[in-house]
Amino acid sequence: MRCVLAALAAAFALVARAEPVDAVKGYSFQIVTADDSALTRRIVDDLSKRLIPIFAAFRTELAQRRRMLVVAVGPAALHEVANKRCDCAVISSFTSSQVLRAVAAGLPPARASTLTAVYAEPAPADQLRLVSLLYGRPVRIAAILGHDTQFLKPALQGPVEVQDFGGGDDINRILSRIAQTEVLLALPDSAVYNTENIRNILLSTYRHKQAVIGFSADMVKAGALATTYSDIEDINAQVAEMASEYVGSGVLPAPQFPRYFRTVVNEGVAKSLDVHVSDAVRNFARPAPPPP
């Protein structure tokens, strides 16, 4: 169970001191981090290799009003950058859509418009494609959305039965309503998937022979059936592509779900659920290009 809680904590927050926005000099970009761990250094090293060639050819005659691009690595760094007075554009990385939207909602509209992201969690469209590959036939899929993930409804309505989860709702009642569906599509929502609910959700769905499509590889290790997930290099490649688009056009791309990913399956859970895992499932991926 500890690994589940650790995975959730990593998905929603990175508690550490953020590096000052003005601490990095030299190029027209800054990478702001919240710690100096080995994992963070790996992120920064790979991201720097991708960004330096882009900004080495930065054309100052372009019409960007904001010539400084800040990449915030993790939620704590995002909060730090958002709270600074900085005439810059910001790309958030390794932070969930829920956190990004909450931060943007607390900013003045003009400031919020300078903020974009590559979200940490998988793209719902890729998750639904994974379900299709796993089952090879139409299946009933449910998703539980709290207040902060209601924005996902348009992307889910049709193939997914959406259950709303409010502050006073009982998760057991919600799980009973979806007991006849074959798949629960889990989306990173701290109101739904938290320390109080996660064990109950995994046990309940398992008893009902329901597959859970998780939102992280660690969640799959803990009992979900499968997920698409993005490694450091996958996220960084997309951040670099967004930076390149901004440098080339002066237009900051809209927030995006990860474009590059691979798939992990809990083979033991698949066997228990009588789900055949084909090579098409195991090889379902969209590799990121290497750094230049």
Side-chain angles (χ1 to χ4, degrees):
M1 190 61 198
R2 288 182 181 175
C3 63
V4 181
L5 304 185
L8 289 172
F12 295 120
L14 183 59
V15 181
R17 180 180 60 81
E19 182 177 322
V21 173
D22 58 358
V24 182
K25 305 291 184 181
Y27 295 96
S28 295
F29 71 88
Q30 296 177 359
I31 301 172
V32 179
T33 64
D35 60 51
D36 191 36
S37 67
L39 184 63
T40 299
R41 289 196 300 271
R42 178 183 158 199
I43 292 171
V44 172
D45 288 347
D46 179 79
L47 187 55
S48 297
K49 291 174 185 176
R50 297 175 188 273
L51 292 179
I52 287 173
I54 295 170
F55 284 86
F58 191 87
R59 293 175 54 199
T60 56
E61 69 271 20
L62 287 176
Q64 290 99 319
R65 176 173 167 270
R66 296 175 179 84
R67 300 182 185 275
M68 175 62 70
L69 179 70
V70 175
V71 179
V73 179
L78 173 61
H79 281 284
E80 176 73 11
V81 172
N83 290 329
K84 293 283 186 181
R85 297 187 64 181
C86 173
D87 189 22
C88 56
V90 179
I91 300 178
S92 171
S93 62
F94 303 96
T95 297
S96 72
S97 59
Q98 181 184 12
V99 172
L100 184 284
R101 290 174 64 86
V103 170
L107 297 175
R111 177 71 170 132
S113 69
T114 68
L115 178 63
T116 191
V118 178
Y119 297 140
E121 73 267 27
D126 292 329
Q127 298 285 67
L128 292 174
R129 175 61 179 156
L130 176 58
V131 172
S132 178
L133 290 172
L134 279 163
Y135 286 87
R137 58 179 174 80
V139 294
R140 291 182 63 187
I141 307 169
I144 306 171
L145 299 183
H147 176 269
D148 293 334
T149 47
Q150 290 292 311
F151 74 96
L152 291 171
K153 264 189 178 179
L156 299 176
Q157 284 178 335
V160 179
E161 301 175 25
V162 175
Q163 290 288 330
D164 294 329
F165 185 81
D169 287 336
D170 182 346
I171 189 63
N172 292 309
R173 217 171 269 176
I174 301 293
L175 292 171
S176 295
R177 287 182 203 159
I178 65 170
Q180 300 306 311
T181 60
E182 292 173 89
V183 175
L184 172 62
L185 176 61
L187 303 162
D189 188 325
S190 57
V192 181
Y193 302 95
N194 53 47
T195 55
E196 297 177 2
N197 291 342
I198 185 66
R199 180 192 292 272
N200 189 27
I201 291 171
L202 290 173
L203 289 176
S204 176
T205 51
Y206 191 79
R207 284 195 301 266
H208 289 121
K209 299 285 284 185
Q210 290 172 294
V212 176
I213 301 299
F215 50 79
S216 72
D218 286 313
M219 197 171 180
V220 173
K221 292 178 185 176
L225 172 60
T227 189
T228 62
Y229 70 97
S230 299
D231 275 339
I232 286 170
E233 292 77 12
D234 297 322
I235 297 293
N236 282 352
Q238 191 168 347
V239 168
E241 289 170 358
M242 294 178 79
S244 181
E245 183 176 342
Y246 177 68
V247 168
S249 69
V251 177
L252 195 63
Q256 302 169 6
F257 286 99
R259 181 178 301 130
Y260 306 113
F261 63 87
R262 59 209 70 195
T263 296
V264 61
V265 180
N266 189 318
E267 301 280 351
V269 171
K271 186 175 181 180
S272 298
L273 296 175
D274 298 321
V275 174
H276 172 66
V277 182
S278 65
D279 287 340
V281 170
R282 296 187 182 95
N283 297 327
F284 182 47
R286 194 177 298 128

